[in-house]
Amino acid sequence: MPDKRITVYQVAVPSPLRRVFDYLPASHSDQSLRPGCRVRVSFGKRQVVGIVVATKNGSDIPLGKLKPIAEILDPIPLVSAALFDLYLWSANYYQHPIGDALANSFPTLLRKGKPIPGDAQLKWRLSTLGLGLPDQALKRAPRQQQLLHLLQQYDALTAEEIKGQGLSPAIVRQLENKGLIESFEQPRAESHWQTGDLLAEQPLSLNKEQQQAVDGIRTTGFCTYLLQGATGSGKTEVYLQLIEKIIRQNKQALVLIPEINLTPQTLQRFRSRFTCPVAVLHSGLSDRERAIAWNRARTGQAPIVLGTRSGIFTPLKNPGVLIVDEEHDSSYKQQDGFHYSARDVAVMRAKMEAIPLLLGSATPALETLHNSNSGRYTRLSLSGRAGISRPPEWQLVNLRDKNLNAGFSAELIDAMADELRQNHQVLVFLNRRGYSPTFSCHSCGWIASCHRCEARLTLHLSINRLLCHHCEHQEMVPAACPDCRSGKLQCLGQGTERSEAILEALFPETTILRVDRDSTRKKNAMKAVFDRVNRGEKCILIGTQMLAKGHHFPNVTLVVILDADGGLFSADYRAPERMGQLITQVAGRAGRGTKPGRVILQSHHCDHPLIQIISQQGYGAFADKLLQERELAELPPFSFMAMLRAESHQRQDAEIFLRKARQAAEKLLPPSPSCRYLGPLPPAMERRSGLFRQQLTITCNHRLQLQKMLSALSQELEKSTGGRNVRWSIDVDPQEMA
């Protein structure tokens, strides 16, 4: 029998085990710890940082075998009880090991047991030795000489400012090792702002629908709103005026955006409008910068918090509103490790903290539309574009039996030339980076393939490498076929690099700007491209879906979609939805200024019903059609789904593991018309990064039944000896079926 006179703490530690561990109070401490406090504990042969989850009297484990807490890192919790409950709910709902889920909810520095860093800037300056150097002392090391001159000119610079001059951290370390520069902390200047002086610029005048949307959002109590507005309808202005109302109530706004590349322009909009501090959280920050921003949100120093997916777990001292922009975007679902959806977690957080949630999109997810149609969410509509701009006109170009110039039809080339003659800008969309997706031998048929994945290598001509887009494996481009030694190597298909080269040949006097992951790797590369576009000079933008989200190009009058067929015949039932969203978002970049816009969509299947609906009736009718199909097939959002994924070095290990998992699951929740099992089956790409993959899909008409079964199943799978050679995970509400 457990001794109930002894206080025992249940601590979650970062491990793959779905359980908490009992610990005695810290030696020589009578301090009572609440859930959410970080502690350092012995776990096996090492010490780790854990988080107190609960307190109980006694333990089922003999007290003599329990270890005491080694160190108390937080005497009081760093987050509110409501937010900590959200952390626990997320771990339970997404069936993830609780210790790992909690660790992912905190900044990296705090996970390592470090204290919250002071809100000061780390800067670099010349040391006493460096001050005495002559100007040409480092002429044999020009990059070091450049940094030396910068510090002579500016006295002190942050690491970010040094990086902005094109100097790497390695240069900084080299000068530091020579004793020529030193770091120091400089307190940040306090931001003196008052609610009365909140605005740096006056808000824009709202049209009738925008005003109705702002007035229709209650700023107290929980409610989820869907702001569905056509591209260019002024959703951002609604966000800004709602945030103003929240801040004037001395509350905070948390705004989520899907991509790190959208952060600079969104941040600029906020800083242009408001005088108050804005905390920014995304993966591009250093651990220290992220911890400081997290703490500024936690302490209320930043009334506005802007973040990407993981920002949903950021604490707020005075939460007032949550806003999820482009709520349909798949980036909000974490695909590796902790498989949470930031959008869905936002709904639960708003409910727990009794604040409003605003979901914004021109192309809402089908789940969101279903919740709106059923009355769970309140819909606010912006049917037309803001100002005098009008929706673009659509033109379909049938590619069947057409002679193409590297993917460009004659009609398309003529239309682009016509726009450029008028000094307009053209946007060409192709969601495939690199030069060519297939590099092969014309003599024997050899195809360059990744040895770690079941995938072809993509030729990237700019770096003269063959690259796998799944595991990042790289190879040199061979001069001859490795099988038959023929020199007749050819490029099949096209990516953005090849399209860029074709456009340069077709329009030699026009600036061609490529926007994809390769061309925007360097800091400020994206900003430099958009600065050129915003100058209004005639140019052609060629790029991937990075161009589709949230950008305002007032001089783009023609949008070209080179290939719209990818999502029509995919095995993934979500592919048509993503195709429609992407096409609509890209098309929305046309005609956003005073000039009329048009969209040209090339397809081999212009007569396909989905292509016809999206081009003629718009996304609303397109989504209604897909919802009807989903309901007939009993697919989400009309049912609930989970996927068990397994991967192993030997093909049979993952399959055997999931076969046993299915047998165990069927005992817990037998197959029936309301509960269906599929698999185990290999995904479209069975081998990836050297591992063989299998997946088991479970679809159930009742969410609670599915959750209960998954909870019991995960405990059984943890105890199974068959999983020792297998890495497995559970993905609740999966977004990627392949």
Side-chain angles (χ1 to χ4, degrees), residues 224-227 324 327 343 347 357-361 368 377:
T224 299
Y225 300 90
L226 167 61
L227 180 63
V324 181
E327 63 83 29
R343 179 197 65 205
V347 177
L357 166 66
L358 180 59
L359 306 175
S361 177
T368 303
Y377 298 170

Side-chain angles (χ1 to χ4, degrees), residues 218 220-225 350-351 354-358 376-378:
R218 299 197 316 267
T220 56
F222 167 65
C223 186
T224 299
Y225 300 90
K351 183 177 181 180
I355 58 174
L357 166 66
L358 180 59
R376 295 188 187 94
Y377 298 170
T378 300

Side-chain angles (χ1 to χ4, degrees), residues 270-457:
F270 287 165
R271 286 181 172 165
S272 296
R273 175 64 58 88
F274 300 111
T275 60
C276 65
V278 181
V280 182
L281 297 111
H282 57 70
S283 59
L285 301 175
S286 68
D287 291 347
R288 185 175 183 278
E289 289 170 331
R290 191 176 182 89
I292 289 173
W294 185 88
N295 192 51
R296 297 183 79 204
R298 183 183 75 93
T299 57
Q301 297 174 64
I304 301 174
V305 182
L306 176 65
T308 49
R309 178 177 57 228
S310 61
I312 189 57
F313 296 116
T314 304
L316 302 175
K317 183 178 182 180
N318 301 300
V321 69
L322 301 180
I323 298 174
V324 181
D325 189 27
E326 306 292 359
E327 63 83 29
H328 67 277
D329 200 285
S330 60
S331 299
Y332 285 123
K333 181 66 189 280
Q334 173 76 31
Q335 298 299 337
D336 300 314
F338 184 17
H339 295 281
Y340 68 92
S341 164
R343 179 197 65 205
D344 296 347
V345 172
V347 177
M348 184 56 64
R349 177 169 184 177
K351 183 177 181 180
M352 288 182 170
E353 295 187 321
I355 58 174
L357 166 66
L358 180 59
L359 306 175
S361 177
T363 55
L366 296 190
E367 287 84 357
T368 303
L369 285 174
H370 178 61
N371 283 325
S372 175
N373 294 340
S374 61
R376 295 188 187 94
Y377 298 170
T378 300
R379 186 179 303 191
L380 308 167
S381 297
L382 304 178
S383 58
R385 286 189 164 183
I388 62 173
S389 63
R390 293 293 177 264
E393 295 182 356
W394 285 70
Q395 177 185 345
L396 301 183
V397 175
N398 193 335
L399 295 179
R400 295 177 187 173
D401 297 324
K402 283 272 196 321
N403 291 320
L404 302 178
N405 187 346
F408 292 85
S409 62
E411 297 100 313
L412 183 54
I413 294 171
D414 290 342
M416 295 172 67
D418 182 54
E419 296 295 333
L420 294 172
R421 277 194 294 270
Q422 301 177 62
N423 291 318
H424 294 166
Q425 295 173 343
V426 176
L427 188 155
V428 178
F429 172 73
L430 176 62
N431 205 22
R432 190 184 303 120
R433 63 189 177 99
Y435 187 84
S436 171
T438 303
F439 188 65
S440 69
C441 175
H442 185 62
S443 298
C444 72
W446 167 85
I447 295 176
S449 301
C450 179
H451 70 281
R452 304 180 72 233
C453 306
E454 288 184 339
R456 296 174 179 177
L457 295 175

Side-chain angles (χ1 to χ4, degrees), residues 33-38 50-54 74 76-79 84 106:
L33 299 177
R34 287 184 284 158
C37 290
R38 292 179 304 149
I51 298 175
V52 175
V53 172
D74 303 319
I76 59 174
L78 295 179
V79 301
F84 191 69
F106 287 86

Side-chain angles (χ1 to χ4, degrees), residues 439 441 446 477-489:
F439 188 65
C441 175
W446 167 85
V477 179
C481 173
D483 283 0
C484 72
R485 309 313 301 169
S486 167
K488 296 180 179 180
L489 298 174

Side-chain angles (χ1 to χ4, degrees), residues 124 170-183:
W124 295 90
I171 303 297
V172 176
R173 288 195 298 271
Q174 288 165 6
L175 285 188
E176 183 187 25
N177 292 337
K178 291 178 179 179
L180 301 179
I181 63 174
E182 61 188 13
S183 62

